[in-house]
Amino acid sequence: MSEQVPLVDYLVLGDAPHLEANECTACGARFFGRRNACASCSGTSFAKASIATEGEVKAFTIVAFAAPGVDVPFVAALVDCDGTSVGGNLVNVEPDPEHVHLGMKVQLVTTSVGTDSAGTEAIGFGFQPVD
Amino acid sequence: MASDDIWILGIIMTKFGKHADKDVLDLAAEAAMGALADGGVTMKDMGVLAAGSLMNANASFGQQLQKQIGQTGIPVYNVANACATGATALRTAIMAVKAGECDMGLAVGVEKLSGAGLLSGGARSGDSDTYEPKGRQGAVVPLDGRIGTEIMPGVFAQIGMEYGHKYGGTSFELFARISEKNHSHSTLNPFAAYTKKMSLEQIMGDVMIAYPNTRPMCSANCDGAAAAVVVSDTKLKTLSLEQQRRALKVSASILTSDPYDEGCQVLPNVNTLTRNAAIQAYEQAGVSPDDLDLVELHDCFATAELVHYDNLMLCPEGGAVDFFESGATWRDGSTPVNVSGGLESKGHPIAATGIANIWEVATHLRGEAGDRQIEGAKVGLAHVIGLGSACGVHILEKAAV
């Protein structure tokens, strides 16, 4: 079996894939990615926080026109995962306004992004509708 | 008795649109010399120059301009603040005069963008042969289109949709009707890049860029420049009665950045910094939203205009949809918004925008707006947002002379 790497370092793979934020130990603000300090309170101590894998779409757009190499159409969304805002694409849903709506319940799933020359597969994430 | 008020003495915008035969210096020089002439002054009277051209941000653009219109040795501030660059240049000149360093200053903003496509997320590099984590999020390949979108029409689409999720009442058609208003307004503005009326059907049936924003619901890339001369109250009182009569009082000049809010580093929050700027501006000017005779706000996309009705407190919180539905923001409504046609139709040459919208307000207050004049206008507000983010709000009042 070939090796896998996450698309971004805040995606944790394994049996229960989920996102992991850097949470400020002083004020609780959550960030994705490497930090110098907290944008909310300027604190410098962070702990890893697992993000809920189910959430609600609080904003979306269906991108029909993008840079060469970006497959369109696709749905970009802002998902409220139990109080933490997460950006990602909606997947396994028709990218049209009849099938995507504000307030829809979604859950995190992993997706295959591609395989590099060494045979390593990159695994990304998206959100699919909860039946 | 002199006060510490600051006045706009001269102000102008070039026609927005395609200027194939002019470069950025031609356009900036036209605006700068136009603003000086409008104010009845010359480069020799200026004590400071603040200049912005976002596509030439590392080119000492202000000094290049001086080399065309007057190298007087005054300090130059080259400013860059995304789409708020023009307002930032103006505010820089205002601060210099207010600080007492000089009694007159010139601010210029210019851009050549005709034919430009998407201005961000517009070029994605290819995937590398071997996956190696890069950047602050350890991305192994470019993320645009894989984790959301980087294109502005998509970012601002989500900002409008987020408002809809919070308060309800939004739809593709509602956003398109905001665009219909601005395209209709532009038919009276000879300075606009596009002056054709567009029907709701045309707008909704046009090329979809990022739902719910179709092409005419996006700001129009074009060429243009705008410039303003500011003067201290003391100096103004030494000038002619005609200069004093046409001067506009800068009742408020505010610049804010985005304070931390949950999620603001995932989807930019353009709301809080705008509301903060508006609160400070109304306080500084001693006016309320009800006093405004016209508003030029940053409709970079139709979805953005809606949220700024609320952010600028033109309506009760959560009431932007009802406010628009009431007809308030059409030119014959209670708070005309973007009677110039806005960024969607007048156009958006980025660094020029933050001065051009102030020119629009100034021109109405002077009673010189021709066919699109808002009769009897005495107080107006101009707003810009530069994503990242910066928000400029200026309130102008007609001279009492």
Side-chain angles (χ1 to χ4, degrees):
Chain A
M1 187 182 153
S2 67
E3 222 184 306
Q4 292 185 334
V5 291
L7 171 60
V8 283
D9 60 15
Y10 61 87
L11 170 62
V12 180
L13 301 178
D15 293 339
H18 64 279
L19 303 180
E20 195 175 67
N22 288 318
E23 183 177 282
C24 175
T25 56
C27 76
R30 290 176 168 183
F31 304 93
F32 296 108
R34 186 163 67 81
R35 298 300 305 175
N36 296 90
C38 176
S40 178
C41 75
S42 302
T44 53
S45 170
F46 293 89
K48 297 291 179 193
S50 296
I51 305 299
T53 55
E54 294 206 352
E56 181 180 304
V57 173
K58 61 177 180 176
F60 72 86
T61 180
I62 305 164
V63 178
F65 188 84
V70 175
D71 294 329
V72 290
F74 69 94
V75 185
L78 181 68
V79 179
D80 178 358
C81 292
D82 197 22
T84 301
S85 295
V86 179
N89 291 3
L90 299 191
V91 297
N92 303 327
V93 63
E94 289 298 315
D96 63 55
E98 282 71 50
H99 293 87
V100 180
H101 54 89
L102 293 169
M104 71 193 288
K105 306 288 186 225
V106 294
Q107 64 186 12
L108 183 113
V109 291
T110 55
T111 59
S112 180
V113 173
T115 305
D116 73 4
S117 58
T120 301
E121 184 184 19
I123 304 294
F125 69 91
F127 291 90
Q128 70 178 15
V130 176
D131 295 329
Chain B
M1 182 69 190
S3 71
D4 61 358
D5 288 338
I6 302 293
W7 299 78
I8 287 176
L9 182 64
I11 188 162
I12 205 167
M13 70 175 269
T14 67
K15 178 175 164 44
F16 283 1
K18 283 184 187 153
H19 291 283
D21 55 339
K22 292 176 182 163
D23 64 18
V24 285
L25 288 171
D26 292 323
L27 290 167
E30 180 182 331
M33 293 191 290
L36 291 165
D38 184 53
V41 289
T42 70
M43 271 307 281
K44 290 191 175 64
D45 298 308
M46 297 301 108
V48 65
L49 170 63
S53 182
L54 207 60
M55 301 297 144
N56 303 282
N58 295 322
S60 297
F61 172 73
Q63 286 87 339
Q64 288 188 47
L65 176 62
Q66 284 182 307
K67 287 176 176 60
Q68 294 302 320
I69 66 170
Q71 288 176 257
T72 53
I74 58 173
V76 173
Y77 296 89
N78 290 291
V79 306
N81 223 352
C83 299
T85 294
T88 305
L90 179 65
R91 180 149 170 69
T92 302
I94 288 172
M95 287 194 296
V97 174
K98 198 146 197 158
E101 295 208 353
C102 52
D103 52 25
M104 279 195 217
L106 175 64
V108 186
V110 63
E111 220 73 64
K112 275 205 73 152
L113 284 174
S114 279
L118 296 167
L119 298 181
S120 84
R124 189 175 83 172
S125 49
D127 296 353
S128 65
D129 286 344
T130 51
Y131 294 147
E132 273 180 43
K134 285 183 184 139
R136 294 215 152 223
Q137 300 187 325
V140 297
V141 292
L143 300 181
D144 185 22
R146 286 172 168 137
I147 300 180
T149 181
E150 293 171 11
I151 65 165
M152 289 301 115
V155 170
F156 279 92
Q158 291 176 83
I159 285 166
M161 296 292 269
E162 185 184 31
Y163 190 88
H165 180 244
K166 197 168 175 188
Y167 298 113
T170 59
S171 65
F172 177 24
E173 186 185 319
L174 174 93
F175 291 121
R177 283 170 50 214
I178 291 175
S179 187
E180 179 190 20
K181 168 183 72 74
N182 290 353
H183 284 283
S184 172
H185 283 170
S186 75
T187 61
L188 298 174
N189 184 0
F191 291 83
Y194 298 92
T195 54
K196 281 191 185 141
K197 194 178 175 75
M198 291 191 79
S199 69
L200 186 60
E201 292 69 29
Q202 283 176 307
I203 292 167
M204 294 179 75
D206 207 304
V207 178
M208 181 58 74
I209 305 295
Y211 180 91
N213 287 322
T214 63
R215 188 172 49 189
M217 296 163 73
C218 300
S219 46
N221 288 327
C222 64
D223 309 331
V229 173
V230 295
V231 62
S232 69
D233 191 70
T234 308
K235 181 69 180 177
L236 179 66
K237 286 193 161 59
T238 69
L239 302 179
S240 75
L241 202 60
E242 176 64 3
Q243 283 167 308
Q244 294 184 43
R245 189 187 65 76
R246 289 182 75 251
L248 293 317
K249 185 178 160 194
V250 182
S251 299
S253 172
I254 302 292
L255 190 69
T256 57
S257 63
D258 44 339
Y260 178 80
D261 272 313
E262 196 287 316
C264 73
Q265 294 191 16
V266 177
L267 181 69
N269 179 339
V270 299
N271 303 317
T272 311
L273 83 164
T274 298
R275 185 170 291 269
N276 288 352
I279 290 168
Q280 291 177 51
Y282 293 131
E283 167 81 25
Q284 194 173 89
V287 305
S288 80
D290 290 342
D291 298 324
L292 301 174
D293 296 308
L294 75 158
V295 172
E296 287 286 304
L297 63 74
H298 202 73
D299 64 320
C300 49
F301 300 92
T303 45
E305 176 158 328
L306 183 81
V307 304
H308 293 315
Y309 295 156
D310 198 322
N311 296 328
L312 294 171
M313 296 178 285
L314 307 180
C315 63
E317 197 164 342
V321 172
D322 289 344
F323 181 64
F324 175 73
E325 300 275 15
S326 77
T329 60
W330 282 79
R331 54 172 289 114
D332 58 356
S334 56
T335 311
V337 173
N338 291 333
V339 296
S340 66
L343 280 57
E344 293 165 68
S345 200
K346 179 181 71 174
H348 185 25
I350 300 177
T353 292
I355 298 175
N357 61 3
I358 289 168
W359 173 80
E360 180 69 20
V361 170
T363 302
H364 288 270
L365 300 186
R366 285 169 161 180
E368 298 173 359
D371 290 344
R372 70 185 186 290
Q373 176 69 41
I374 297 297
E375 287 306 325
K378 291 187 174 61
V379 188
L381 180 148
H383 157 261
V384 284
I385 279 276
L387 206 66
S389 293
C391 175
V393 169
H394 286 83
I395 294 176
L396 301 189
E397 287 182 77
K398 191 181 172 71
V401 183

